[in-house]
Amino acid sequence: MRSAIEGARTLAQLDDLSRQIWQAHASQAVTDAEAQGLAELLHDRRSTIREAVVPVGIPLGRVTLFPPKRFQRAPERSVAIERRRRLACSGPMPPALASRFTAGQLAVLRIVGDEVARNGACGLPVDAIAARAGVSRRLAQAAIRLAEGDGLLTIQERRHQGRKNDPNVLRIISREWLQWLRRGGRSAAPALLGSIGCKNLHPTDKGDPQRQVVETAPSKGCRRAAVDLGRSDPVRILASGRTGRAMR
């Protein structure tokens, strides 16, 4: 049995020898001391074989077949900051919901909202969302998790055992946010304000600003003003403080 253990070349052979040892111990063909010695020898041999095993296709010092992740960086930081601020100020969600997030997080949620409005769900990778929003990958992940914690959206993970996972699918479940997206990101306030108020007038003053004429009599209609024009001359007050008659 010792020679068989020392001559084993694979872990499967050692497992088979381990079963034989304990079966012999159960049938009392091997004593306790002999079984313990064979088990220690088998353990040492198993450690030696495992150290000599080199995973196929995996470089030395790596524990996975997939290439290492490359951290993305914007070519120009000022451009990324400007894009982030522009997206955050474009009204990605209602003001009551937007007040919970920072500018970078709002930029991420703007990208998610645009994809949901266009396709019904957002299936973009996190790297793509972060690149479009002008933020880092970690900030994009934090913004999505924060929105999920507030009950604004759901995250569907698509894991695959033995191969690369698919990007998560994001779906908006907030009724207020969905209604905002259906309106195109516009509030109802401008529509209400447009129907209330007076007509804006832009008069042109061609006279001397130091001698502006101020009417002392109340304004009248066109017909009555024409009748009164022939009866009497209204007294007008000049801006300089002097009084005078209106010229005919």
Side-chain angles (χ1 to χ4, degrees):
M1 186 63 69
R2 287 179 178 272
S3 60
I5 293 175
E6 294 176 356
R9 295 291 182 269
T10 62
L11 296 176
Q13 293 177 356
L14 294 178
D15 293 339
D16 187 34
L17 291 174
S18 177
R19 286 191 294 268
Q20 294 180 15
I21 290 172
W22 296 112
Q23 287 177 0
H25 178 266
S27 63
Q28 298 182 354
V30 178
T31 62
D32 294 342
E34 292 174 346
Q36 183 65 26
L38 292 174
E40 294 176 357
L41 181 63
L42 190 142
H43 176 73
D44 295 339
R45 183 59 181 168
R46 182 180 283 110
S47 301
T48 303
I49 293 177
R50 284 178 176 172
E51 292 177 358
V53 172
V54 178
V56 179
I58 300 180
L60 295 177
R62 295 280 309 284
V63 295
T64 178
L65 286 171
F66 301 113
K69 293 181 179 179
R70 295 183 300 175
F71 294 98
Q72 59 181 9
R73 294 181 179 177
E76 294 186 11
R77 184 173 176 82
S78 60
V79 176
I81 294 176
E82 191 273 337
R83 184 191 308 121
R84 182 192 319 165
R85 292 175 178 174
R86 183 174 64 253
L87 292 173
C89 297
S90 62
M93 55 174 46
L97 301 180
S99 60
R100 309 178 189 176
F101 304 94
T102 62
Q105 294 171 350
L106 286 175
V108 173
L109 297 179
R110 173 56 190 262
I111 302 301
V112 174
D114 290 346
E115 286 295 317
V116 172
R118 186 181 303 110
N119 303 321
C122 178
L124 294 176
V126 178
D127 294 335
I129 296 176
R132 294 186 182 183
V135 299
S136 64
R137 173 187 175 90
R138 189 175 298 275
L139 194 151
Q141 290 176 332
I144 294 173
R145 293 296 180 183
L146 183 60
E148 181 195 22
D150 289 347
L152 303 180
L153 53 82
T154 59
I155 302 176
Q156 177 186 354
E157 297 182 352
R158 296 186 292 176
R159 297 182 178 274
H160 300 287
Q161 189 174 4
R163 58 190 180 92
K164 190 175 182 180
N165 299 329
D166 291 336
N168 297 337
V169 178
L170 309 178
R171 293 183 175 87
I172 297 177
I173 59 176
S174 172
R175 295 183 178 179
E176 187 177 1
W177 192 0
L178 290 174
Q179 187 177 5
W180 180 269
L181 295 176
R182 293 190 189 100
R183 289 202 303 256
R186 294 187 299 271
S187 175
L192 295 177
L193 293 177
S195 60
I196 301 176
C198 303
K199 182 178 180 180
N200 295 329
L201 300 178
H202 302 281
T204 302
D205 184 15
K206 297 182 180 180
D208 186 1
Q210 299 298 329
R211 298 179 57 85
Q212 294 181 356
V213 179
V214 181
E215 294 283 354
T216 58
S219 60
K220 304 177 182 179
C222 297
R223 296 182 178 178
R224 188 172 182 182
V227 175
D228 293 345
L229 184 61
R231 294 181 179 178
S232 62
D233 297 333
V235 179
R236 299 184 180 182
I237 303 175
L238 300 180
S240 58
R242 295 176 298 173
T243 61
R245 294 286 179 175
M247 296 180 62
R248 294 189 179 181

